Structure formats: structure tokens, C-alpha cells
């Protein structure tokens, strides 16, 4: 149930205060924010190198991350930290998309700078995942609700495996004898 539907039902049934239990249970204030955050993570993680999607999708994902965490920033300190990190990532993607149109990006794409910048970006994404997990644990603990299945732990492991495979594929050609 979307927030607008919940508000409409509340306005329609104002005479019956409090609303029925099934209506209150169906409204989840975290739903819209978490949906934005998950879509943002997907769009920033996968890079498609055609039609300039390698620039557009991560920037759009960063915007979704920022907006998702912005609405959750007052819930607890973990979400506030995620909001700050997502703001830095949004600025990061915006600056690099502007630099992509200039010759400056060719200088930044040299291997000496590419590795540290990639490592910094990867560390920011891992930090967002860890803080999102901690924020969700804190949010559920503060309400006294049972924490649903922890999918973020599997996501962190999967992202670590993908990064390990990417690093391995980058380093294998260096060990081949010509």
C-alpha cells in the first residue's frame, strides 16, 4: 500500500479512529525509501557501456540513493551517515560526468589514478551497504518488530565476490608471459 492510499483511507474513515488493524499493518513508511535505495544501488553497481548508459545510469542511481536516504535521515544515525555518503557519491558522479566531456578525464583514466579512484568508489558502496544494514537493524529494534530475513548480508557477500572476480580478471593478464 502506498502512502497516498493510506492517507486517503485515513481521510475517508476519519470517523473510525483508530483505523482497522489490517490497514495500519499494510502501511509501511520505509517502503518507498527502501525501493529508491535498492534501485539506486542496482543502477550504480551495473555499468552498461553503450548509448552513454555508463554515465547516465550511475548518476540516476546516485540521485535515487540520495533521495531514498534523505527521507530516512531522521530515523537513526546510520541512515544519516548513508545520506551524507550518498550525497558525496552524487557529487562524485556529477563531477565525473562533466569531466567525461572534457580531455581531463583521459588524464584521470590513467592506471596510476584509476585504481585508487575505483577503490574509493567501491569502498563508498560497501560502506553504504554496511550502514544500510545497521540502520535497518536499528530501525526494527527501536520499533520492537522482528527483523525480516537479512538479505543485505547476502548482497554484501555477492558484491564482494563480483569485485574479487573483477580484480582477478584485471590482474591475470599481468601474469601472462608474452
Amino acid at each position: 500500500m502506498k502512502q497516498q492510499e493510506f492517507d486517503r483511507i485515513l481521510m475517508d474513515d476519519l470517523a473510525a479512529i483508530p483505523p482497522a488493524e489490517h490497514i495500519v499493518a499494510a502501511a509501511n513508511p520505509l517502503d518507498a525509501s527502501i525501493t529508491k535505495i535498492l534501485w539506486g544501488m542496482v543502477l550504480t553497481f551495473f555499468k552498461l557501456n553503450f548509448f552513454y548508459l555508463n554515465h547516465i545510469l550511475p548518476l540516476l542511481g546516485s540521485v535515487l540513493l540520495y533521495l531514498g536516504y534523505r527521507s530516512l535521515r531522521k530515523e537513526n544515525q546510520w541512515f544519516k551517515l548513508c545520506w551524507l555518503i550518498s550525497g558525496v557519491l552524487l557529487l562524485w558522479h556529477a563531477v565525473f560526468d562533466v569531466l567525461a566531456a572534457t580531455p581531463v578525464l583521459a588524464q584521470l583514466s590513467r592506471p596510476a589514478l584509476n585504481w585508487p579512484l575505483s577503490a574509493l568508489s567501491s569502498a563508498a558502496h560497501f560502506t553504504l551497504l554496511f550502514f544500510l544494514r545497521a540502520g535497518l537493524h536499528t530501525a526494527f529494534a527501536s520499533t520492537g518488530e522482528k527483523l525480516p530475513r537479512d538479505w543485505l548480508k547476502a548482497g554484501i557477500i555477492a558484491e564482494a565476490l563480483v569485485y574479487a572476480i573483477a580484480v582477478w580478471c584485471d590482474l591475470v593478464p599481468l601474469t601472462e608471459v608474452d
Side-chain angles (χ1 to χ4, degrees), residues 57-105:
L57 293 181
L59 183 62
L60 179 63
S62 296
V63 169
L64 287 173
L65 280 171
Y66 181 78
L67 292 175
Y69 285 122
R70 183 178 178 272
S71 59
L72 293 176
R73 71 184 185 274
K74 294 181 181 172
E75 291 289 324
N76 58 43
Q77 75 274 10
W78 299 108
F79 288 142
K80 187 170 186 167
L81 287 171
C82 287
W83 174 61
L84 294 172
I85 293 170
S86 66
V88 170
L89 280 176
L90 177 59
L91 184 65
W92 172 283
H93 285 292
V95 166
F96 273 91
D97 285 347
V98 168
L99 290 178
T102 66
V104 174
L105 191 63

XYZ file of all heavy atoms in Angstrom, residues 57-105:
399
model
N 23.160 5.986 -16.086
C 22.585 5.102 -15.061
C 23.215 5.280 -13.683
O 22.492 5.356 -12.679
C 22.649 3.649 -15.521
C 21.764 3.310 -16.721
C 21.887 1.841 -17.070
C 20.325 3.687 -16.473
N 24.558 5.362 -13.563
C 25.102 5.610 -12.219
C 24.686 6.953 -11.640
O 24.461 7.064 -10.431
C 26.614 5.535 -12.420
C 26.797 4.697 -13.623
C 25.631 5.007 -14.507
N 24.564 7.969 -12.481
C 24.120 9.271 -11.980
C 22.668 9.193 -11.506
O 22.327 9.693 -10.424
C 24.274 10.346 -13.051
C 23.905 11.758 -12.629
C 24.809 12.231 -11.497
C 23.977 12.709 -13.804
N 21.821 8.535 -12.276
C 20.429 8.343 -11.866
C 20.349 7.509 -10.586
O 19.568 7.807 -9.681
C 19.633 7.678 -12.984
C 18.172 7.385 -12.706
C 17.399 8.680 -12.474
C 17.566 6.602 -13.848
N 21.180 6.473 -10.484
C 21.225 5.673 -9.269
C 21.673 6.472 -8.065
O 21.145 6.310 -6.965
N 22.630 7.359 -8.257
C 23.092 8.207 -7.158
C 21.996 9.163 -6.698
O 21.849 9.413 -5.500
C 24.314 9.010 -7.591
O 25.385 8.156 -7.872
N 21.225 9.670 -7.649
C 20.102 10.542 -7.285
C 19.073 9.760 -6.480
O 18.565 10.239 -5.455
C 19.468 11.172 -8.548
C 18.159 11.859 -8.221
C 20.434 12.147 -9.195
N 18.764 8.532 -6.909
C 17.799 7.712 -6.170
C 18.306 7.374 -4.773
O 17.537 7.381 -3.801
C 17.477 6.442 -6.950
C 16.605 6.622 -8.180
C 16.502 5.313 -8.956
C 15.223 7.115 -7.797
N 19.594 7.050 -4.665
C 20.172 6.782 -3.342
C 20.043 7.999 -2.442
O 19.637 7.891 -1.278
C 21.651 6.407 -3.469
C 21.979 4.985 -3.882
C 23.459 4.849 -4.173
C 21.559 4.014 -2.813
N 20.388 9.162 -2.979
C 20.321 10.380 -2.184
C 18.892 10.658 -1.723
O 18.657 10.970 -0.556
C 20.866 11.562 -2.993
C 20.855 12.858 -2.238
C 21.822 13.122 -1.288
C 19.860 13.805 -2.450
C 21.816 14.309 -0.574
C 19.843 14.990 -1.746
C 20.821 15.241 -0.812
O 20.801 16.401 -0.099
N 17.930 10.537 -2.631
C 16.534 10.812 -2.269
C 15.992 9.788 -1.278
O 15.232 10.126 -0.369
C 15.664 10.860 -3.522
C 15.929 12.032 -4.464
C 15.089 11.893 -5.718
C 15.663 13.346 -3.770
N 16.388 8.522 -1.445
C 15.933 7.490 -0.519
C 16.459 7.702 0.883
O 15.719 7.617 1.873
N 17.742 7.989 0.976
C 18.334 8.213 2.296
C 17.915 9.554 2.887
O 17.896 9.707 4.102
C 19.857 8.132 2.230
C 20.367 6.722 2.100
C 21.166 6.351 1.033
C 20.041 5.760 3.041
C 21.640 5.064 0.914
C 20.507 4.469 2.930
C 21.301 4.131 1.860
O 21.755 2.852 1.740
N 17.586 10.512 2.028
C 17.163 11.820 2.529
C 15.880 11.705 3.348
O 15.717 12.349 4.376
C 16.953 12.784 1.357
C 16.596 14.178 1.783
C 16.449 15.081 0.559
N 16.066 16.410 0.952
C 14.801 16.800 1.115
N 13.828 15.964 0.893
N 14.525 18.030 1.483
N 14.964 10.857 2.877
C 13.711 10.708 3.614
C 13.879 9.865 4.880
O 13.022 9.906 5.759
C 12.633 10.114 2.714
O 13.044 8.852 2.238
N 14.982 9.128 4.987
C 15.220 8.292 6.176
C 16.236 8.897 7.144
O 16.479 8.331 8.205
C 15.731 6.910 5.751
C 14.774 6.017 4.996
C 15.478 4.741 4.582
C 13.560 5.699 5.832
N 16.810 10.027 6.807
C 17.945 10.551 7.579
C 17.617 10.863 9.026
O 18.503 10.888 9.868
C 18.540 11.772 6.895
C 17.685 13.007 6.949
C 18.313 14.151 6.166
N 17.573 15.372 6.311
C 16.533 15.730 5.588
N 16.098 14.925 4.651
N 15.922 16.877 5.800
N 16.347 11.082 9.355
C 15.994 11.414 10.734
C 15.598 10.185 11.560
O 15.317 10.317 12.738
C 14.852 12.434 10.741
C 15.285 13.764 10.157
C 14.196 14.783 10.183
C 14.680 16.076 9.564
N 13.624 17.041 9.389
N 15.609 9.014 10.927
C 15.248 7.776 11.637
C 16.314 7.386 12.660
O 16.002 7.093 13.801
C 15.043 6.634 10.649
C 13.826 6.785 9.776
C 12.529 6.586 10.533
O 12.488 5.736 11.441
O 11.584 7.313 10.229
N 17.569 7.314 12.205
C 18.673 6.985 13.107
C 19.990 7.464 12.506
O 20.032 7.955 11.378
C 18.713 5.478 13.444
C 18.841 4.598 12.225
O 19.614 4.873 11.327
N 18.059 3.526 12.194
N 21.070 7.324 13.268
C 22.358 7.866 12.843
C 22.932 7.134 11.635
O 23.674 7.725 10.847
C 23.363 7.866 14.003
C 23.934 6.512 14.362
C 23.064 5.731 15.332
O 21.941 6.095 15.617
N 23.596 4.648 15.846
N 22.595 5.850 11.465
C 23.121 5.093 10.326
C 22.552 5.624 9.017
O 23.287 5.755 8.037
C 22.814 3.611 10.476
C 23.428 3.013 11.698
C 22.783 2.611 12.828
C 24.812 2.783 11.935
N 23.686 2.139 13.739
C 24.941 2.229 13.210
C 25.964 2.992 11.177
C 26.164 1.874 13.751
C 27.182 2.637 11.715
C 27.275 2.090 12.989
N 21.272 5.907 9.009
C 20.655 6.451 7.801
C 21.181 7.864 7.515
O 21.303 8.259 6.357
C 19.145 6.466 7.908
C 18.523 5.099 7.833
C 17.428 4.786 8.611
C 19.013 4.133 6.986
C 16.837 3.537 8.548
C 18.450 2.872 6.907
C 17.360 2.577 7.691
N 21.500 8.603 8.548
C 22.062 9.943 8.340
C 23.449 9.831 7.699
O 23.792 10.595 6.797
C 22.131 10.712 9.653
C 22.542 12.142 9.452
C 22.379 12.954 10.705
C 22.659 14.415 10.394
N 22.244 15.289 11.444
N 24.256 8.883 8.172
C 25.567 8.661 7.562
C 25.423 8.206 6.106
O 26.187 8.641 5.239
C 26.360 7.636 8.370
C 26.906 8.108 9.707
C 27.477 6.946 10.492
C 27.951 9.179 9.497
N 24.451 7.342 5.847
C 24.194 6.904 4.475
C 23.792 8.084 3.602
O 24.194 8.177 2.439
C 23.101 5.842 4.444
S 23.607 4.241 5.068
N 22.990 8.993 4.157
C 22.570 10.168 3.405
C 23.781 11.035 3.046
O 23.903 11.511 1.913
C 21.553 10.963 4.227
C 21.140 12.261 3.635
C 20.510 12.467 2.441
C 21.342 13.547 4.205
N 20.297 13.800 2.237
C 20.799 14.494 3.311
C 21.912 13.998 5.382
C 20.822 15.851 3.570
C 21.923 15.350 5.635
C 21.388 16.264 4.728
N 24.699 11.214 3.981
C 25.903 12.005 3.715
C 26.792 11.339 2.669
O 27.291 11.995 1.743
C 26.681 12.240 5.005
C 25.987 13.110 6.055
C 26.763 13.105 7.359
C 25.812 14.522 5.537
N 26.980 10.028 2.792
C 27.811 9.302 1.822
C 27.155 9.315 0.448
O 27.838 9.468 -0.571
C 28.078 7.865 2.308
C 28.945 7.890 3.560
C 28.753 7.034 1.226
C 29.075 6.563 4.250
N 25.832 9.162 0.399
C 25.155 9.192 -0.903
C 25.237 10.581 -1.530
O 25.304 10.709 -2.758
C 23.702 8.740 -0.774
O 22.955 9.648 -0.001
N 25.265 11.631 -0.721
C 25.476 12.980 -1.247
C 26.856 13.125 -1.865
O 27.015 13.754 -2.922
N 27.858 12.539 -1.214
C 29.216 12.569 -1.761
C 29.265 11.776 -3.072
O 29.882 12.215 -4.047
C 30.224 12.020 -0.731
C 31.592 11.811 -1.349
C 30.315 12.947 0.468
N 28.611 10.617 -3.112
C 28.575 9.830 -4.347
C 27.849 10.563 -5.468
O 28.252 10.473 -6.637
C 27.916 8.470 -4.096
C 28.785 7.405 -3.461
C 27.973 6.148 -3.192
C 29.973 7.088 -4.339
N 26.782 11.266 -5.131
C 26.064 12.044 -6.141
C 26.975 13.125 -6.716
O 27.047 13.307 -7.937
C 24.804 12.663 -5.535
C 23.977 13.562 -6.445
C 23.507 12.807 -7.668
C 22.793 14.117 -5.675
N 27.689 13.818 -5.852
C 28.635 14.828 -6.309
C 29.748 14.189 -7.138
O 30.151 14.722 -8.171
C 29.210 15.576 -5.102
C 30.148 16.722 -5.396
C 29.401 17.842 -6.118
C 30.749 17.253 -4.112
N 30.221 13.040 -6.692
C 31.270 12.283 -7.390
C 30.829 11.973 -8.819
O 31.562 12.243 -9.775
C 31.520 11.005 -6.595
C 32.419 9.985 -7.206
C 32.117 9.109 -8.197
C 33.766 9.715 -6.851
N 33.182 8.305 -8.472
C 34.208 8.655 -7.653
C 34.629 10.254 -5.915
C 35.486 8.126 -7.559
C 35.894 9.717 -5.820
C 36.319 8.678 -6.639
N 29.633 11.399 -8.981
C 29.152 11.036 -10.320
C 28.889 12.274 -11.173
O 29.160 12.260 -12.377
C 27.893 10.172 -10.227
C 28.180 8.767 -9.818
N 28.851 7.876 -10.620
C 27.886 8.092 -8.683
C 28.968 6.718 -10.004
N 28.387 6.827 -8.819
N 28.377 13.328 -10.582
C 28.110 14.549 -11.345
C 29.413 15.150 -11.864
O 29.498 15.540 -13.038
C 27.355 15.551 -10.480
N 30.423 15.205 -11.018
C 31.707 15.774 -11.432
C 32.336 14.925 -12.531
O 32.823 15.444 -13.543
C 32.652 15.920 -10.219
C 34.084 16.173 -10.655
C 32.162 17.020 -9.303
N 32.320 13.611 -12.375
C 32.939 12.759 -13.382
C 32.155 12.742 -14.693
O 32.737 12.568 -15.758
C 33.153 11.336 -12.848
C 34.460 11.207 -12.135
C 34.532 11.433 -10.774
C 35.615 10.897 -12.811
C 35.743 11.333 -10.110
C 36.826 10.803 -12.169
C 36.898 11.020 -10.806
N 30.851 12.933 -14.641
C 30.082 13.033 -15.881
C 30.389 14.328 -16.618
O 30.439 14.356 -17.843
C 28.584 12.906 -15.608
C 28.193 11.473 -15.317
O 29.008 10.565 -15.569
O 27.067 11.261 -14.834
N 30.610 15.401 -15.888
C 31.006 16.660 -16.531
C 32.424 16.517 -17.089
O 32.715 16.951 -18.210
C 30.912 17.836 -15.532
C 31.578 19.074 -16.083
C 29.456 18.111 -15.191
N 33.315 15.895 -16.325
C 34.690 15.710 -16.794
C 34.773 14.758 -17.983
O 35.737 14.827 -18.755
C 35.576 15.204 -15.660
C 35.871 16.192 -14.538
C 36.709 15.532 -13.456
C 36.566 17.426 -15.076
N 33.791 13.888 -18.149
C 33.801 12.960 -19.285
C 33.692 13.696 -20.610
O 34.100 13.168 -21.646
C 32.656 11.958 -19.139
N 33.157 14.880 -20.587
C 33.025 15.666 -21.811
C 34.267 16.500 -22.093
O 34.307 17.225 -23.087
C 31.809 16.582 -21.708
N 35.264 16.397 -21.256
C 36.485 17.182 -21.426
C 37.683 16.244 -21.541
O 37.596 15.062 -21.203
C 36.697 18.112 -20.221
O 36.943 17.311 -19.063
C 35.497 19.012 -19.996
N 38.812 16.743 -21.977
C 40.017 15.907 -22.041
C 40.604 15.577 -20.664
O 41.501 14.759 -20.547
C 41.015 16.741 -22.846
C 40.286 17.901 -23.376
C 38.999 18.008 -22.652
N 40.092 16.188 -19.622
C 40.620 15.949 -18.277
C 40.406 14.500 -17.847
O 41.244 13.911 -17.163
C 39.962 16.920 -17.267
C 40.375 16.605 -15.848
C 40.295 18.344 -17.626
N 39.300 13.899 -18.269
C 39.012 12.525 -17.860
C 40.055 11.549 -18.406
O 40.346 10.540 -17.767
C 37.607 12.105 -18.297
C 37.112 10.803 -17.694
C 37.001 10.946 -16.184
C 35.811 10.382 -18.283
